[in-house]
Amino acid sequence: MRGPLCFNIMYIFRCGYRLSAVCPSSGRAVHTVKFQQRRTRPHQDQNFQRLCGSRQWSNNIEQQLKVVSDNRCFGGQQKVYEHYSAVLNFQMRFAVYVPENLERPAPVLYHLGGMLCSEQTFIQKSGFQRWAAHYGIIVVSPDVCPRVNLGVDNNTIEANGESYYVNAVKKPWSKNFQMYSYVNEELPSIIQENFNVNKDKQSIMGHSMGGHGALISALKNPGKFRSVSALAPVCNPSQSPGIQVILKCYFGDDLKTMEKWDSTCLVADYKGPELNILIHQV
């Protein structure tokens, strides 16, 4: 599992695609989104620096974040932090991989996990730390949802982590399930304040449910991300009966509201700058 996933991610960084789609419910045609082929620098093992200096962390990090785990990995630091999220009204965890000896602010990549995943999935199964160390990328992977027990009938949402990275408007979910705002506003602010990142070089990726979350994040924030990569993303959830059950918990029966959180519909109305999007569907 580790090898193929790493290969696919690096293939995504290097290759280009074109995507055509349509929003089935409205029949709106989607403008073709161009995926640029991007060149990467040559392999430079001899000159690549790999140590993590203490200056990676700001002086106030201990006041905001609690270190849950801290391990050396490919020369860098693989850490997990816990903090209270004001957006989610709950304790959240996120993983951060920081390469060694970063002499300048590093690009940051946000990784969104899929259903049944957590921040541990990225750490244990992706194998991405090797590539992050080589290319000097800080990688952030949050848990997929707040682990709150609301005691309602739809407990499969809590058990499976079915956040879909949206902002719920229907009670009781609206109090805690604001994952879109967490991923796109609160978490980046924490990372920029506490880690040595270049906020002008942000990218986002995810798989399955997280792949769809990465797509809606990029489509709703034109120009924010340098690139977006979606591995086997959920497609057209507003028209999927299984996913509609979850979305109705968050939004009620309003299909138009669901479509505002559907990447297939969002890309049909996209009017922002050209996006570097990579979709790998198997």
Side-chain angles (χ1 to χ4, degrees), residues 40-99:
T40 56
R41 62 182 179 182
H43 187 72
Q44 294 179 335
D45 285 325
Q46 298 294 327
N47 299 324
F48 201 83
Q49 296 180 324
R50 293 176 145 195
L51 274 182
C52 171
S54 60
R55 62 180 175 171
Q56 302 304 327
W57 330 107
S58 72
N59 293 331
N60 64 353
I61 191 168
E62 293 182 357
Q63 299 175 14
Q64 295 186 11
L65 307 176
K66 174 185 175 183
V67 179
V68 176
S69 64
D70 183 0
N71 297 285
R72 296 285 288 176
C73 184
F74 289 98
Q77 298 293 133
Q78 177 64 74
K79 296 193 175 190
V80 174
Y81 291 96
E82 184 174 276
H83 74 109
Y84 181 80
S85 166
V87 169
L88 303 176
N89 296 294
F90 203 73
Q91 292 290 121
M92 281 294 287
R93 290 188 177 187
F94 62 88
V96 179
Y97 180 77
V98 183

Side-chain angles (χ1 to χ4, degrees), residues 156-157 162-164 241-251:
T156 180
I157 293 177
E162 295 175 306
S163 70
Y164 282 93
I243 302 177
Q244 275 186 349
V245 174
I246 306 301
L247 296 182
K248 285 181 179 181
C249 293
Y250 299 147
F251 305 126

